[in-house]
Amino acid sequence: MIDDRLFGPTFGVESFWTWRTVAKLLDGLPLDRRELKLFRECTGRSKPPKGGLHRLILLVGRRGGKDRFLSAVAGYRALLASDWPRTLSPGETAVVQLLGKDKAQGAILYRYCRGLVLSSTILADQIIRDTQGGIIEFTNGAAIEIGTNDVGALRGRSSIGVLGTECCFWRTDSDHLSSDEEIVLAAEPAMAMDPTGGVLIMASSTYRKRGWMYKQYQSLFGNDSSDDVVWLAPSRVMNPVLRESFIQKAIERDGSKAAAEYLSIWREDIADFLPLDIVEAATDRKIIERPPKDGIRYFAFTDAAGGSGADSFTLAIGHHDREADRLVLDAMRERKPRFAPAEVVNEYSVLLKQYRCSDVSGDRFAGSFHADEWTRRGIQYRDSTHSKSEIYLAALPLLMNGRARLLDSERLRSQLTGLERRVGEGGREHVDHSPGQHDDLCNSVCGLLVHMADMHTNQPRAALIAPSIISDGIDRRPLGHPDRFWNPD
């Protein structure tokens, strides 16, 4: 990290002394007085473990330099840590796997890795294959592979290092195939054939008190007897050149969020919204779509998108089963970007007409963009009276009391269980997806359930409610009103 022929041009400057300390800790090198003070501050331990580390958990604030450091470790492991052709079996590739929480994060890791290697006068000519975003192969038979947190990428592979970033934002539900714990369980056998023991580094800024990363923090921080280390540090501790005024402005905007992102303080204001067992109980297994039937009135709800960003354009169609008093999801669609909104509206209009739907509901923001497109295709677009948080809060009792019946979709289950409940100023609840995740499909489905519940609630009781409260079949009473949702129990 200090050799100008290797990674010195990036890591040799004084401000990177903190990360050079972490590198010495990894390799079991002695720490000087300043470095030992930093170690104690960031680990809660009195002394480093002997012999270096094979597992390190980095909990460092945003802009603290985590991804740059992981890229340096990847380059070192692949090119400098061992003579891999002599160490591994014939034909076996020494692979360092860098796992981002999504493709965008993976692209950042790729650019850092490639830039480090190309900036070295010794290492630049070692690249023999570069896929521009996925794999960098070297003349010594080693490779760096950049991907996402997918268990499938780890199983059946021989790795000399597994490095993950933003791991506090990975899936934490134990039933998910690529949850954070499943990734770690798959990573360690992948390094079993590495005679050096391999290196597992999981890095992230802090988030909520949940998942593998938080469990590691609880068990390892301040634990002198463990061979593994948790390194917890605010952004400016690891990156002293980061402006204090920048962090202060972030704290003024959103104190809880900024404290987690830059001060490495675990968030207390976030909780799970919908348990997996509730979603599973509401799912009709092996039913992915219900065809339209005569004599049934269908409803529709859409979550529109512009087509050029990260959001999907989704649609949900369903009906109210009067005999069982069930709100039934019959069909759903999702179009991921990029797309032309007019083409998606045309496609969805054809489907709506198959279910004899002459109108579709959605939020006002999307309606201002796409209402005319729906009208041109004979579909009336109606603005929902509820915000997204209100929709989720209103859908919760429908799912909890068994009134809703969902289709068998892993993506829908994943989005529903990924929702988080936050408590804002004045105790007001807010529900949304976690950072880096999506909720476009479950927004349409929950919007549909609430819309059908509204219609069912209002129709038999409209005569008992003042006309000023109900208009066009919409109940404008507060969502917390005792009569807002009729429950036969």
Side-chain angles (χ1 to χ4, degrees), residues 170-193:
W170 291 8
R171 293 303 304 257
T172 58
D173 44 304
S174 59
D175 295 313
H176 197 275
L177 293 176
S178 290
S179 67
D180 51 3
E181 294 193 8
E182 290 296 327
I183 292 291
V184 175
L185 288 173
E188 294 182 332
M191 295 186 289
M193 298 304 294

Side-chain angles (χ1 to χ4, degrees), residues 201-218:
I201 303 179
M202 303 288 270
S204 182
S205 54
T206 58
Y207 189 49
R208 56 190 300 191
K209 293 183 175 181
R210 178 183 173 182
W212 188 83
M213 295 288 279
Y214 182 65
K215 291 178 183 176
Q216 296 302 301
Y217 165 75
Q218 286 184 303

Side-chain angles (χ1 to χ4, degrees), residues 215-276:
K215 291 178 183 176
Q216 296 302 301
Y217 165 75
Q218 286 184 303
S219 64
L220 298 178
F221 191 81
N223 184 353
D224 271 325
S225 64
S226 174
D227 292 331
D228 303 329
V229 169
V230 162
W231 185 281
L232 176 76
S235 302
R236 273 179 49 81
V237 168
M238 301 306 292
N239 180 12
V241 300
L242 183 64
R243 299 192 316 276
E244 178 66 34
S245 60
F246 173 82
I247 297 176
Q248 189 58 42
K249 288 180 180 179
I251 292 174
E252 291 171 1
R253 288 192 298 269
D254 189 333
S256 296
K257 180 179 179 182
E261 290 187 333
Y262 299 105
L263 306 181
S264 294
I265 298 174
W266 295 95
R267 295 192 70 163
E268 300 274 3
D269 61 329
I270 298 176
D272 288 336
F273 179 66
L274 195 58
L276 177 62

Side-chain angles (χ1 to χ4, degrees), residues 149-463:
N149 52 330
D150 182 0
V151 165
L154 292 169
R155 295 194 183 280
R157 308 292 301 281
S158 293
S159 300
I160 57 174
V162 176
L163 317 177
T165 185
E166 295 303 338
C167 305
C168 288
F169 300 91
W170 291 8
R171 293 303 304 257
T172 58
D173 44 304
S174 59
D175 295 313
H176 197 275
L177 293 176
S178 290
S179 67
D180 51 3
E181 294 193 8
E182 290 296 327
I183 292 291
V184 175
L185 288 173
E188 294 182 332
M191 295 186 289
M193 298 304 294
D194 180 357
T196 69
V199 173
L200 174 72
I201 303 179
M202 303 288 270
S204 182
S205 54
T206 58
Y207 189 49
R208 56 190 300 191
K209 293 183 175 181
R210 178 183 173 182
W212 188 83
M213 295 288 279
Y214 182 65
K215 291 178 183 176
Q216 296 302 301
Y217 165 75
Q218 286 184 303
S219 64
L220 298 178
F221 191 81
N223 184 353
D224 271 325
S225 64
S226 174
D227 292 331
D228 303 329
V229 169
V230 162
W231 185 281
L232 176 76
S235 302
R236 273 179 49 81
V237 168
M238 301 306 292
N239 180 12
V241 300
L242 183 64
R243 299 192 316 276
E244 178 66 34
S245 60
F246 173 82
I247 297 176
Q248 189 58 42
K249 288 180 180 179
I251 292 174
E252 291 171 1
R253 288 192 298 269
D254 189 333
S256 296
K257 180 179 179 182
E261 290 187 333
Y262 299 105
L263 306 181
S264 294
I265 298 174
W266 295 95
R267 295 192 70 163
E268 300 274 3
D269 61 329
I270 298 176
D272 288 336
F273 179 66
L274 195 58
L276 177 62
D277 60 329
I278 297 298
V279 179
E280 294 278 8
T283 300
D284 291 332
R285 288 293 184 176
K286 298 184 179 181
I287 299 179
I288 59 175
E289 188 158 310
R290 308 178 218 268
K293 295 182 178 180
D294 293 336
I296 294 178
R297 181 186 178 187
Y298 291 96
F299 302 88
F301 197 96
T302 184
D303 184 8
S308 58
D311 293 335
S312 297
F313 196 146
T314 60
L315 175 72
I317 301 173
H319 74 277
H320 172 229
D321 182 345
R322 293 181 179 276
E323 290 186 6
D325 189 32
R326 296 285 181 86
L327 305 171
V328 181
L329 174 64
D330 293 288
M332 55 187 181
R333 295 288 187 272
E334 177 180 19
R335 178 72 74 86
K336 299 178 182 179
R338 298 177 57 96
F339 53 78
E343 293 181 1
V344 180
V345 170
N346 184 62
E347 174 189 332
Y348 288 175
S349 297
V350 173
L351 181 66
L352 288 172
K353 291 175 182 178
Q354 292 176 4
Y355 284 85
R356 300 182 300 281
C357 290
S358 58
D359 58 76
V360 63
S361 297
D363 65 61
R364 289 176 183 154
F365 176 79
S368 64
F369 287 92
H370 304 315
D372 291 343
E373 294 292 341
W374 291 104
T375 301
R376 277 193 284 272
R377 290 159 180 82
I379 304 293
Q380 183 177 1
Y381 187 93
R382 299 182 183 275
D383 291 332
S384 172
T385 60
H386 309 315
S387 68
K388 182 163 70 171
S389 277
E390 290 174 340
I391 284 174
Y392 289 141
L393 290 168
L396 180 62
L398 303 177
L399 291 160
M400 295 286 282
N401 66 22
R403 289 190 66 199
R405 301 310 308 165
L406 307 178
L407 296 171
D408 191 352
S409 165
E410 177 59 33
R411 185 164 177 82
L412 176 60
R413 285 192 291 274
S414 176
Q415 291 190 8
L416 286 170
T417 56
L419 293 173
E420 296 176 341
R421 185 197 300 257
R422 300 177 177 88
V423 180
E425 295 182 3
R428 184 172 181 178
E429 292 183 319
H430 176 73
V431 181
D432 206 345
H433 58 79
S434 59
Q437 305 300 318
H438 296 278
D439 67 344
D440 311 297
L441 192 60
C442 75
N443 187 26
S444 285
V445 171
C446 289
L448 172 69
L449 296 176
V450 173
H451 177 60
M452 291 193 297
D454 282 352
M455 299 298 289
H456 171 60
T457 301
N458 294 332
Q459 286 176 355
R461 308 183 69 178

Side-chain angles (χ1 to χ4, degrees), residues 60-121:
V60 176
R62 292 186 65 185
R63 313 306 302 171
K66 298 183 295 296
D67 287 348
R68 285 186 181 274
F69 179 72
L70 291 182
S71 302
V73 174
Y76 171 74
R77 292 294 298 170
L79 289 163
L80 301 168
S82 181
D83 186 355
W84 298 116
R86 292 176 179 269
T87 303
L88 299 177
S89 302
E92 197 168 19
T93 302
V95 178
V96 181
Q97 298 202 57
L98 277 79
L99 307 178
K101 66 183 177 66
D102 51 33
K103 291 183 179 179
Q105 193 72 38
I108 294 172
L109 293 171
Y110 163 77
R111 290 195 295 270
Y112 282 157
C113 285
R114 187 173 183 272
L116 274 179
V117 174
L118 291 178
S119 67
S120 167
T121 58

